[in-house]
Amino acid sequence: MIRTIEELHLLYPEPKERALKKQLSCLDRHCKRFIELSPFVVIATGNASGFDASPRGGEPGFVKVVNDLTLMIPDSPGNNRLDSLKNIVESGRVGLLFLIPGVDETLRVNGAAHVSVDAEKLQLFASEKRVPKVVIEVAVEEAYLHCAKAFMRSKLWADESRRGRSILPTMGQMIQEQIGSSGSPESQEEMVARYAQDL
């Protein structure tokens, strides 16, 4: 078990200068463009009890770039567990990973965050199917274009990597087994139709 940062550094060479220099303290035009093209972001949050990573999606650009230092993320309808929102309220911190389908690079953004019900900020999303109840306002502290190695290794976007949904049981079947409920599990088609009402 590695117990100190010094022990960890003994296993790895020093990072190259480029890897250090490409970490920015604000969003440049390339970061902004990446966010504008991204339909998907993973939100990482945590509190004293633990950590959480949650997927969020929408039309490309659903996360709004307000300026070089500010992002707004709408809270779309979900399962109402509020894990990410509660963590942000408690810790005031967030980490984001933006993806663009077909692009192997990703964009990491870290910073301070809070949950807002400000009417003017909510109106940034007035053109959406429904205006969100809250937005996550992110004060950017670090922005970092991440290299393509993980996606190249995984071949995530490659046609040969795609799997049919039938490789797994339906969500209804898996949840029924996990929670021990009785009755007929919801079919994949029923689940998709139910979700479509809340997209």
Side-chain angles (χ1 to χ4, degrees):
M1 183 184 295
I2 299 294
R3 298 185 182 277
T4 69
I5 300 298
E6 290 73 24
E7 288 177 312
L8 192 59
H9 278 300
L10 290 174
L11 297 175
Y12 294 90
E14 289 296 315
K16 293 191 168 81
E17 183 180 22
R18 183 174 118 154
L20 297 173
K21 280 190 168 181
K22 70 179 183 173
Q23 180 175 308
L24 307 176
S25 58
C26 64
L27 303 172
D28 71 353
R29 68 185 183 95
H30 302 295
C31 295
K32 291 176 184 176
R33 183 65 175 148
F34 202 104
I35 295 167
E36 289 167 358
L37 293 171
S38 174
F40 187 86
V41 63
V42 178
I43 300 180
T45 59
N47 61 26
S49 301
F51 298 89
D52 181 68
S54 178
R56 302 295 172 98
E59 292 295 320
F62 77 101
V63 174
K64 305 296 185 194
V65 178
V66 178
N67 55 46
D68 294 357
L69 293 171
T70 311
L71 295 174
M72 297 287 180
I73 307 170
D75 186 57
S76 300
N79 56 22
N80 295 320
R81 284 177 54 107
L82 309 181
D83 295 321
S84 298
L85 298 180
K86 289 188 283 189
N87 287 344
I88 291 169
V89 168
E90 289 187 31
S91 73
R93 306 292 303 168
V94 72
L96 308 173
L97 183 68
F98 290 94
L99 284 74
I100 301 172
V103 174
D104 285 341
E105 290 79 16
T106 56
L107 174 66
R108 287 166 38 185
V109 176
N110 299 320
H114 67 268
V115 179
S116 175
V117 293
D118 181 272
E120 190 174 320
K121 292 168 183 174
L122 294 173
Q123 279 305 304
L124 290 172
F125 305 95
S127 63
E128 300 293 320
K129 183 177 177 182
R130 56 176 64 83
V131 177
K133 293 179 181 178
V134 304
V135 296
I136 300 168
E137 182 170 358
V138 180
V140 176
E141 296 173 359
E142 299 172 347
Y144 185 90
L145 283 166
H146 207 290
C147 77
K149 288 180 182 177
F151 281 73
M152 291 171 68
R153 290 181 185 122
S154 67
K155 300 179 182 174
L156 186 66
W157 308 125
D159 288 341
E160 64 267 24
S161 295
R162 293 183 63 84
R163 300 290 182 266
R165 179 61 186 82
S166 61
I167 198 170
L168 290 170
T170 67
M171 187 71 154
Q173 290 168 327
M174 291 189 284
I175 291 176
Q176 184 180 50
E177 185 175 325
Q178 288 175 339
I179 66 177
S181 64
S182 59
S184 298
E186 183 179 46
S187 71
Q188 195 69 19
E189 294 74 21
E190 290 169 334
M191 182 205 72
V192 169
R194 178 169 56 84
Y195 283 176
Q197 300 172 29
D198 280 334
L199 292 180

